[in-house]
Amino acid sequence: MRYISTRGGMPAAPFCNILLEGLAPDGGLAMPEAYPRLTPAELAAMRGMSYPQLAFAVLSKFIDDIPAGDLKALVDKTYTPAVFGSPDIAPLTMLEPGLYILGLSNGPTLAFKDMAMQLLGNLFEYVLARENRELNILGATSGDTGSAAEYAMRGKKGVRVFMLSPQGKMSPFQTAQMFSLQDPNIYNLAVDGVFDDCQDIVKAVSGDAAFKARYKIGAVNSINWARVVAQSVYYFKGYFAATTSNDQQVAFAVPSGNFGNIYAGHLARSMGLPIKQLVLATNENNVLEEFFKTGVYRVRKAHETRHTSSPSMDISKASNFERFVFDLAGRDGATVKALWASLDRDGAFDLNGTPLMRALPQQGFVSGSSTHADRLATIRTTHQRYGKLIDTHTADGLKVALEYRDAAVPMIVLETALPAKFEETIIEATGIKPPRPAGFEDIESLPKRFEVMPVSPGKIKAYIAFQCANKWG
Ligand SMILES: *Cc1c(COP(=O)(O)O)cnc(C)c1O
């Protein structure tokens, strides 16, 4: 299996070459040359598999430059009950016949990003050791991504994480999750500014090519191909848990932001998993809902991007969306390149009247959005009706799922975070303080380890250089 770019300008490369990279050299995203198709016999065999076995079956289709025994060991060490709370890893809960929630939030940061990020940490450590390399991950976070990355990379050999966050702007729970990590390879930098300042610093530092090369600066963003593949595994898990035969079809509803999660569903379907429909749910930031309803993709400006009570879906553009458009364009890099050039120029593109628009309905996507009031109502009703508390993002998914239910097709809503992470809104909706999992009861009072930094790329560079000059802790 080799990888090419969505914009057609990258020589085909093996998996380990693209694992540690961000964008392809031509600005596009890495994609497999072709999607592997699972045979009916392979799919039949997968029905009886445990989560780590499923993960190995899927990942080994995409990764052929890590020996099978090593890949299997990495997968087995990632998907354990100790890390994900149960041998099921991603348990399926029935709300009522035909309506399910797939629990993806039982990892260390209580959100679905752990499902892929935990594997990434082990993959990075393995490949860096094999190639005798080091990596300094530099990132900016306003909450979820940063903590998932830190919990994946903590204690990993050859990796340091420098995570910038806006000082005092994250929730006390999120702050505590990140800042309580005492691992010497994790550096929390609380920047005296807003999230955009943090992002600008990351851009400035990574934009200094000499510094980037000398200090081996890398990232773990949502476009990382290994993350996407690792996410496709739980679609298989959910499918087998909700059905009794591979002749059945299901639908998945996915709370979406950067299109990474739902693209993993598209990938699973492209491999042959019988998914009838992918229901894309947005919050008030409905760039993607609009695209699937109108064929127009219009990115939003910063001032048009709303801060909502499902903050991990507050996006102005969807970074993984380009992968889907590549498929829509019949995998023609030139078309994608032209579309993204018009996006840079005009802030939008319109597929109406093009062959891509004619191909869109065959992809099996539908979309919808939800508001704060919808979230409150969904959280309240779900609690009253089924006795289950769901978080604000999952509520967006469930709200839209109910608009597209088909009695003959099981609907599986992906739970992307636990309600304990969004206490305030859950209390607003139900009057109930969501229970915290064991170990999180008093997280805010743990000792914190962080440095306050000014909004200065120069100071951040100096800090990174100083830490790298010290030996590993
Ligand atoms: C990241 C995130 C999402 C959005 O997922 P994408 O892959 O960016 O579409 C939804 N919910 C939660 C809780 C998240 O952390």
Side-chain angles (χ1 to χ4, degrees):
M1 175 65 74
R2 294 189 310 163
Y3 292 85
I4 54 175
S5 162
T6 49
R7 301 200 190 167
M10 179 175 87
F15 173 81
C16 289
N17 287 30
I18 61 149
L19 172 66
L20 304 172
E21 302 302 323
L23 291 176
D26 64 353
L29 309 186
M31 284 286 265
E33 272 183 317
Y35 292 136
R37 287 290 294 189
L38 295 164
T39 63
E42 283 175 310
L43 270 177
M46 288 169 85
R47 181 167 281 280
M49 288 183 181
S50 67
Y51 198 95
Q53 288 171 328
L54 278 178
F56 177 73
V58 172
L59 289 161
S60 57
K61 296 277 177 191
F62 293 94
I63 306 174
D64 53 15
D65 52 347
I66 294 178
D70 290 358
L71 182 60
K72 186 153 187 325
L74 291 171
V75 164
D76 286 345
K77 133 170 159 191
T78 302
Y79 297 107
T80 66
V83 177
F84 289 98
S86 74
D88 244 3
I89 308 297
L92 188 78
T93 306
M94 187 172 79
L95 295 181
E96 62 180 48
L99 184 62
Y100 301 88
I101 299 232
L102 185 62
L104 304 177
S105 310
N106 302 308
T109 74
L110 313 184
F112 90 98
K113 291 193 174 66
D114 292 330
M115 296 295 298
M117 206 76 98
Q118 287 289 314
L119 177 74
L120 204 66
N122 287 324
L123 278 173
F124 272 29
E125 185 177 52
Y126 173 88
V127 170
L128 289 169
R130 190 171 77 175
E131 297 174 5
N132 198 14
R133 286 169 63 183
E134 288 184 6
L135 185 68
N136 290 305
I137 293 169
L138 175 64
T141 188
S142 55
D144 273 352
T145 315
S147 57
E150 291 189 354
Y151 280 78
M153 301 298 165
R154 65 187 292 196
K156 294 284 182 279
K157 287 186 245 10
V159 188
R160 294 183 191 86
V161 178
F162 297 91
M163 192 57 69
L164 277 48
S165 59
Q167 196 194 2
K169 308 273 186 330
M170 293 190 296
S171 75
F173 186 94
Q174 286 174 320
T175 310
Q177 261 192 321
M178 288 179 48
F179 292 9
S180 64
L181 286 179
Q182 302 295 330
D183 307 75
N185 71 327
I186 303 295
Y187 300 91
N188 283 304
L189 305 179
V191 173
D192 191 12
V194 295
F195 175 60
D196 285 337
D197 295 321
C198 300
Q199 268 193 318
D200 290 345
I201 295 174
V202 170
K203 272 188 211 149
V205 175
S206 335
D208 178 341
F211 184 86
K212 187 175 179 213
R214 172 152 186 213
Y215 291 102
K216 302 173 180 65
I217 302 292
V220 279
N221 35 37
S222 69
I223 56 158
N224 184 284
W225 175 255
R227 278 180 69 182
V228 172
V229 183
Q231 286 171 186
S232 74
V233 175
Y234 50 70
Y235 285 86
F236 287 86
K237 162 75 210 225
Y239 172 78
F240 293 123
T243 59
T244 51
S245 142
N246 290 1
D247 297 331
Q248 290 168 274
Q249 288 190 308
V250 300
F252 284 97
V254 188
S256 291
N258 274 316
F259 204 79
N261 199 354
I262 199 163
Y263 170 78
H266 169 76
L267 178 63
R269 179 166 47 193
S270 304
M271 295 174 74
L273 191 68
I275 300 175
K276 177 144 193 227
Q277 208 163 46
L278 289 165
V279 180
L280 182 145
T282 73
N283 61 21
E284 291 87 335
N285 297 293
N286 67 337
V287 191
L288 289 167
E289 178 202 27
E290 183 174 281
F291 171 78
F292 282 97
K293 286 193 166 151
T294 67
V296 177
Y297 181 60
R298 183 177 68 84
V299 305
R300 308 298 198 249
K301 308 238 161 49
H303 74 267
E304 294 174 301
T305 309
R306 307 248 316 259
H307 290 287
T308 75
S309 48
S310 46
S312 300
M313 294 157 63
D314 293 347
I315 51 116
S316 54
K317 58 175 189 288
S319 48
N320 273 292
F321 181 59
E322 185 170 337
R323 291 196 158 109
F324 175 71
V325 174
F326 181 65
D327 286 342
L328 209 53
R331 309 197 120 228
D332 177 42
T335 303
V336 175
K337 194 173 165 190
L339 286 171
W340 258 261
S342 63
L343 207 55
D344 288 342
R345 197 178 54 235
D346 311 326
F349 60 69
D350 182 351
L351 298 186
N352 285 284
T354 71
L356 282 73
M357 196 63 188
R358 287 190 288 284
L360 188 57
Q362 285 122 58
Q363 306 297 315
F365 277 76
V366 290
S367 67
S369 64
S370 107
T371 62
H372 181 68
D374 293 327
R375 279 188 280 287
L376 294 180
T378 307
I379 292 167
R380 191 180 310 121
T381 314
T382 307
H383 184 247
Q384 282 167 353
R385 216 175 268 167
Y386 311 111
K388 181 161 173 76
L389 282 177
I390 55 172
D391 100 290
T392 52
H393 305 78
T394 310
D396 289 335
L398 180 54
K399 187 262 180 187
V400 180
L402 295 175
E403 294 167 4
Y404 288 104
R405 252 182 108 185
D406 168 346
V409 181
M411 173 68 78
I412 303 171
V413 180
L414 301 190
E415 173 210 61
T416 56
L418 287 195
K421 289 193 90 166
F422 302 94
E423 270 172 11
E424 226 174 276
T425 312
I426 309 303
I427 294 171
E428 188 183 346
T430 63
I432 296 169
K433 190 172 159 176
R436 289 188 177 186
F440 289 88
E441 295 88 349
D442 206 13
I443 187 172
E444 288 91 339
S445 66
L446 293 176
K448 296 188 174 60
R449 180 169 171 272
F450 65 100
E451 295 286 336
V452 177
M453 302 293 289
V455 180
S456 157
K459 289 268 162 50
I460 302 283
K461 281 189 207 170
Y463 183 86
I464 294 173
F466 178 76
Q467 296 302 336
C468 293
N470 287 339
K471 66 175 172 30
W472 290 95

